[in-house]
Amino acid sequence: MKYTETKLSGCFILEPAVFEDERGYFFESYNENKLAEILGHNPHFVQDNQSKSQFGVVRGLHMQAGEHAQAKLVRVLEGRVLDVAVDVRPNSPTYGQHVAVELSAENKKQMFIPKGFLHGFSVLSEQAVFSYKCDNTYHKEAEDGVHPLDPQLAIDWRIPVDQMILSQKDKEAQNFTALYNKLK
């Protein structure tokens, strides 16, 4: 497995070795020991989630705070997305910075997002099936987030604004400054 740490400490892009022949392909999408070796710790995933979305959907920016914070290992099973992680660890030198990577069924890349990050993605294909493992279970009371179009973050979701599809929750999400004031 090839891996690259992004400009945000602890956030990695993982590229599995893919074996292809006339029958199709095989790759190892998860190996606890290999991931622990890359990260220097074992995130011990306890929850698996999957979503299906159409072109233009932007999901996020979401996080779980406090003792319910989650690290995630994400990948795309069908289609392609722009996956985004924003560092909101209060004392981090990259606080407020983001990284974006295209994940697709074709490139089979994955992203590991550590605790203390906002996370979201936009669907760039006609539809996409997105899968993610979490190292902590979901708790509604710990949920937090930021509006995906917050100008302070200036994320290029690679979708025209007039074609974006946001949930009501994301449309009403707070701005980045309000989250900062909660976390400091």
Side-chain angles (χ1 to χ4, degrees):
M1 175 178 292
K2 180 180 167 187
Y3 62 93
T4 308
E5 189 167 21
T6 69
K7 68 179 183 178
L8 307 178
S9 177
C11 188
F12 286 86
I13 307 301
L14 309 171
E15 297 179 61
V18 180
F19 305 95
E20 294 184 77
D21 62 23
E22 67 278 356
R23 299 169 298 161
Y25 68 83
F26 169 85
F27 73 93
E28 190 174 72
S29 63
Y30 174 69
N31 180 310
E32 182 177 66
N33 294 332
K34 286 181 184 174
L35 187 61
E37 185 179 313
I38 291 166
L39 301 176
H41 64 64
N42 182 351
H44 186 72
F45 296 115
V46 298
Q47 183 174 318
D48 242 358
N49 302 310
Q50 184 171 309
S51 68
K52 182 176 182 178
S53 305
Q54 66 186 32
F55 171 80
V57 167
V58 176
R59 292 187 183 261
L61 296 161
H62 304 145
M63 69 178 290
Q64 294 234 142
E67 68 182 281
H68 302 295
Q70 295 175 320
K72 298 176 183 176
L73 179 62
V74 303
R75 69 186 184 116
V76 171
L77 305 174
E78 178 184 330
R80 60 192 184 95
V81 307
L82 182 69
D83 199 56
V84 175
V86 181
D87 188 350
V88 293
R89 299 172 292 185
N91 297 317
S92 172
T94 56
Y95 181 86
Q97 295 181 32
H98 71 275
V99 64
V101 64
E102 187 171 311
L103 305 179
S104 70
E106 186 176 317
N107 72 22
K108 298 172 186 48
K109 290 181 181 179
Q110 300 176 62
M111 184 151 61
F112 176 80
I113 302 133
K115 294 178 182 189
F117 281 70
L118 290 165
H119 176 250
F121 65 89
S122 61
V123 178
L124 305 175
S125 53
E126 186 176 319
Q127 65 181 18
V129 177
F130 190 82
S131 175
Y132 53 105
K133 296 181 176 310
C134 300
D135 74 343
N136 207 343
T137 55
Y138 172 78
H139 291 271
K140 186 168 180 55
E141 69 278 3
E143 188 177 42
D144 216 334
V146 170
H147 194 288
L149 299 177
D150 187 302
Q152 189 173 349
L153 297 175
I155 296 169
D156 177 3
W157 293 99
R158 294 178 32 197
I159 296 175
V161 173
D162 64 342
Q163 293 180 24
M164 286 184 177
I165 303 167
L166 302 175
S167 69
Q168 194 59 38
K169 176 177 86 172
D170 290 343
K171 287 178 185 177
E172 296 171 357
Q174 67 195 335
N175 64 34
F176 189 68
T177 301
L179 178 67
Y180 171 78
N181 289 333
K182 279 187 200 176
L183 296 175
K184 65 177 185 171

